Amino acid sequence: VGGQLGIAKENLAGFTEVMAKLGTATNMTSEEAATMLAQFATVTGMDASLYSNLGSTIVDLGNNFATNEKKITDMAQSIAAAGTNAGMSEADMLALSAAVTSVGIEAGAGGTSMSTLIQKMQLAIETGNGLEEWAAAAGMSAQEFAALWGEDATGALTAFIQSLGTTEESAMSTLVALGLNDSRLVRMVTSLNSAEQKNHLLSSAIRTANTAWQENTALTNEAATRHATTESKMTLLQNASERLKIAIGNQLRPALAKAAEAGTDLLDWASDYVNANQELVPLITAAVGAIGAFVG
């Protein structure tokens, strides 16, 4: 999958390791993670050496907020273009995605609404049209808001959301005055404003994302924890079996097919024999248990 998505040959091993861990540690499959994150990285221009940081940030946000890794990644894909044009970091875009999906807004709708909000803010900065109104809503002068946007677009966006008002009515009034009439966008912004007033959701997500990005340990730790479970051990066994099939190659497949057919006939015979001789079941169970203890 990495090769199909244009991951360079020298980066494939590291990319594969990160996606395998994400498949174990999150609610995404390795293939889903590979496709979504490679596309996200392509849009943002992220260096291939940072896939582990990206995965760790997604996992840490999924562990600490009322959302999950797939929702975060889905929405991050949606806002990647707008966020990159505004100069936002990958960690900040993931933080915005975690905050929005944590207030019950679906990734698709949230991604569209957040992209629109970012684009409208940037347009006001670039053209000056309505800049004073946007700045006033953020509690700043036009110069202050433009300067902050140039240095930290996510910080300016957060200041805007924080300053909208202490009630949903006042927030909605400000948004309408700015020409933001789309019901989904209004719902997203007012929900974020309310959550920020109550428990600093957005600012907390931004801190968590940037800390996780710098530490780059959450993915490895979560994968190690999951690897310790019985279910994951069975998945690892299945993966090892698949790798063995690949290693054996096409040359031995005809012989293996015959062996498998013989094995199936043998197992069918054994099942019929055990059903006809129920007194053997305790003995077989004890023997299997002994073998398992010996192998373990």
Side-chain angles (χ1 to χ4, degrees):
V1 172
Q4 291 173 343
L5 293 167
I7 304 300
K9 182 178 179 181
E10 61 271 20
N11 297 320
L12 275 174
F15 176 83
T16 302
E17 181 179 358
V18 171
M19 299 312 146
K21 288 179 179 178
L22 284 169
T24 300
T26 73
N27 64 331
M28 295 184 285
T29 67
S30 295
E31 290 79 6
E32 285 175 332
T35 300
M36 289 192 287
L37 295 188
Q39 291 173 348
F40 175 79
T42 297
V43 175
T44 63
M46 189 190 81
D47 188 89
S49 65
L50 298 175
Y51 275 107
S52 180
N53 304 72
L54 188 64
S56 288
T57 304
I58 292 169
V59 167
D60 210 33
L61 289 168
N63 286 344
N64 288 285
F65 293 88
T67 183
N68 62 54
E69 296 84 2
K70 187 172 183 179
K71 289 181 179 180
I72 294 169
T73 307
D74 276 344
M75 181 170 162
Q77 267 191 298
S78 298
I79 67 172
T84 301
N85 289 337
M88 294 180 176
S89 69
E90 289 85 358
D92 283 350
M93 285 184 264
L94 292 172
L96 292 176
S97 302
V100 170
T101 54
S102 289
V103 294
I105 295 173
E106 290 300 317
T112 301
S113 297
M114 182 59 73
S115 293
T116 300
L117 181 62
I118 293 170
Q119 290 165 353
K120 286 184 175 294
M121 281 188 173
Q122 187 167 6
L123 184 62
I125 297 291
E126 292 174 350
T127 64
N129 294 332
L131 176 57
E132 291 187 359
E133 288 78 6
W134 283 95
M140 304 178 194
S141 68
Q143 286 184 334
E144 289 172 335
F145 189 67
L148 180 58
W149 184 269
E151 296 172 3
D152 179 12
T154 308
L157 177 64
T158 302
F160 170 78
I161 290 173
Q162 289 173 332
S163 303
L164 278 177
T166 56
T167 66
E168 183 176 346
E169 290 75 15
S170 60
M172 289 183 65
S173 176
T174 301
L175 294 173
V176 170
L178 289 169
L180 302 176
N181 300 314
D182 180 81
S183 59
R184 293 181 300 178
L185 192 154
V186 169
R187 179 183 169 225
M188 180 196 73
V189 175
T190 54
S191 296
L192 286 177
N193 171 261
S194 176
E196 187 67 14
Q197 298 291 338
K198 293 176 182 176
N199 54 24
H200 307 291
L201 174 68
L202 180 55
S203 51
S204 177
I206 293 169
R207 284 195 302 272
T208 299
N210 282 276
T211 299
W213 185 279
Q214 292 297 324
E215 292 179 349
N216 191 24
T217 57
L219 175 58
T220 297
N221 292 341
E222 185 72 11
T225 300
R226 297 294 183 92
H227 283 158
T229 66
T230 301
E231 182 179 0
S232 289
K233 287 181 179 179
M234 294 303 296
T235 300
L236 292 174
L237 178 61
Q238 182 179 1
N239 291 342
S241 174
E242 292 298 323
R243 289 196 298 272
L244 179 60
K245 291 178 187 177
I246 294 170
I248 290 172
N250 292 329
Q251 291 86 349
L252 293 181
R253 283 184 182 174
L256 285 175
K258 292 181 180 179
E261 184 178 349
T264 300
D265 293 340
L266 180 61
L267 290 175
D268 287 341
W269 171 84
S271 297
D272 293 339
Y273 187 80
V274 169
N275 286 330
N277 299 273
Q278 291 293 318
E279 67 276 7
L280 294 177
V281 172
L283 295 176
I284 295 173
T285 301
V288 171
I291 293 171
F294 176 76
V295 173

